[in-house]
Amino acid sequence: MSVLLPGYYRDILIGLGENPDREGLVDTPKRAAKAMQYLCQGYDQSLETIVNGALFASDSDEMVIVANIELYSLCEHHLLPFIGKAHVAYIPTGKVLGLSKIARIVDMFARRLQIQENLTREIADAIEGVTQAAGVAVVIEAKHMCMMMRGVEKQNSTMNTSVMLGAFREPSTRMEFLQLIGRSKS
């Protein structure tokens, strides 16, 4: 990722009618640039580096679920946060993925400018590509600040997206997954 220059944030403050030289704002451009670099660090990460060979032989062919993975992303339309959780499942075919790698994959894609629909698909495709699973399911539930702080200002709205690949397109497998993540919310 290219380096974000604090001067851009200084220009934004001036454009808002603020004095970037006042005490409370003197270091704001530098802090804002550093924060944006952190929030978008997913551009500097790769799937191969994150997985780092953490695929392990296994005879398991039963559903593996990692539920309630916190995620923080930025809406690509307004650069405002959306915050929620991801539920990820896959059905192994000879290999299982290290547990923390699933959360790291979620973070890698969430730490990019996103729309939730694409984020859900990117996570599912990555898990499928890495594991060669018989099926992958991803559900994301998130609250979007672009809808809560501006525009229609709906404070209690939640967006839900899902991607079901392979065996999860079968109604019984899909239902089992949705029931199990429903229990994990309680």
Side-chain angles (χ1 to χ4, degrees):
M1 174 186 284
S2 61
V3 176
L4 292 172
L5 300 175
Y8 295 128
Y9 289 96
R10 182 178 171 81
D11 290 346
I12 290 170
L13 292 173
I14 292 168
L16 293 172
E18 269 290 355
N19 173 6
D21 295 319
R22 76 173 170 85
E23 182 181 356
L25 295 177
V26 170
D27 291 328
T28 296
K30 183 173 38 175
R31 286 191 301 264
K34 189 175 179 180
M36 188 60 79
Q37 289 284 153
Y38 180 81
L39 295 172
C40 293
Q41 67 184 306
Y43 290 114
D44 293 330
Q45 298 173 325
S46 74
L47 189 57
E48 296 75 27
T49 303
I50 285 176
V51 172
N52 195 26
L55 278 169
F56 307 102
S58 174
D59 293 334
S60 175
D61 61 357
E62 296 294 330
M63 192 180 303
V64 175
I65 301 173
V66 182
N68 299 310
I69 302 168
E70 301 95 5
L71 68 86
Y72 308 92
S73 194
L74 293 174
C75 162
E76 68 184 34
H77 299 139
H78 304 100
L79 301 183
L80 290 173
F82 63 94
I83 300 164
K85 54 188 169 182
H87 311 284
V88 179
Y90 70 100
I91 299 173
T93 56
K95 293 183 229 169
V96 293
L97 183 58
L99 179 62
S100 71
K101 304 307 180 182
I102 295 171
R104 292 179 194 280
I105 289 169
V106 169
D107 284 345
M108 179 183 74
F109 289 112
R111 295 298 186 163
R112 299 175 181 184
L113 301 180
Q114 282 287 8
I115 62 173
Q116 185 174 326
E117 298 89 336
N118 290 350
L119 174 59
T120 310
R121 169 60 69 174
E122 290 170 349
I123 295 166
D125 288 345
I127 299 290
E128 182 181 53
V130 167
T131 63
Q132 301 301 302
V136 175
V138 177
V139 169
I140 295 179
E141 309 166 40
K143 290 186 170 277
H144 292 250
M145 296 302 124
C146 58
M147 192 162 166
M148 296 170 71
M149 295 175 66
R150 55 163 299 284
V152 297
E153 297 185 32
K154 299 301 176 200
Q155 304 308 304
N156 296 308
S157 62
T158 303
M159 182 176 183
N160 294 288
T161 52
S162 69
V163 171
M164 306 286 171
L165 304 175
F168 284 94
R169 290 190 176 271
E170 300 291 328
S172 60
T173 309
R174 177 187 301 247
M175 182 66 81
E176 178 184 353
F177 168 65
L178 294 173
Q179 286 175 342
L180 288 168
I181 67 169
R183 288 183 192 143
S184 72
K185 295 178 195 178
S186 317

